[in-house]
Amino acid sequence: MKFTVLSWLVALLVPIALIGLGLRLLLTPLFLKIEYNMPYFPPDEYGFTKADRLRWAPYALDYLTNSQGISYLGDLKFDDGTPLYNERELSHMDDVKRVTQGALRVWYVTLALLLLLGVWAWLGGWWQDYRLGLMRGGWLMVGLAVAIGAIVVVGIVINPNVFWNFFAGFHSLFFEGDSWLFLFSDTLIRLFPIRFWQDAFLWAAVIALAGGIALALGLKPK
């Protein structure tokens, strides 16, 4: 009975680990380069070129993962001396950093727990239950990734409101009120329009789906 419970604990930890992996991979300049070079990526109506986006967007990603204060972004200025971000944007980025770094800490703890449980399973004689937990977790991740991917694809191809409602619901879990809504002329929207977030969720789903399939099909208990 004890090992069955532990096996299910492993299964529940697997989606967290895979989603965290997707998040960490997206928090890299490589994703920005891929995304901004997509032929369908919308141009900025207010004048940012691709080079401008590749110049300024990495600062936002760096801020989310470094130990710097909000002045890291607040001190950024356009060539004419005007601030890159307004106070509302800076306040939101401060909240985003808190949420992002909290999510990354959860990911690190999850990886550590899976490793410790794996060692215990190997030494404690319940290795097959551990493998079964990984496999079940893989299937859980497959189902969740397919659901998220479907929402994104429907939102892109059929009805934009489907993704927008999902996106708004996601933000309501972590941010107060409408603090995450901005003008189209604001820098955050110009750098990260809605298509950026659609692709980010889609890529995260694909990464997690690949990991889930690998575990679900590659770890059948003997």
Side-chain angles (χ1 to χ4, degrees), residues 32-33 36-37 41 44 47-59 79 191:
L32 292 177
K33 291 179 181 178
Y36 289 147
N37 280 288
F41 198 81
D44 173 36
F48 272 167
T49 63
K50 183 195 303 182
D52 291 329
R53 281 169 160 166
L54 288 172
R55 175 187 177 185
W56 297 117
Y59 285 103
D79 293 336
L191 291 177

Side-chain angles (χ1 to χ4, degrees), residues 3 5 20 25 48-50 55 66 68 88 94 107 111 118 128 132 137-138 146 148 166-167 180 192-193 203 213:
F3 294 146
V5 172
L25 291 176
F48 272 167
T49 63
K50 183 195 303 182
R55 175 187 177 185
N66 66 28
Q68 301 296 313
R88 182 179 175 86
D94 189 44
W107 180 51
L111 294 178
Q128 294 306 321
L132 179 60
V146 168
I148 294 174
F166 167 77
F167 193 59
W180 56 278
F192 309 111
W203 276 108
I213 290 175

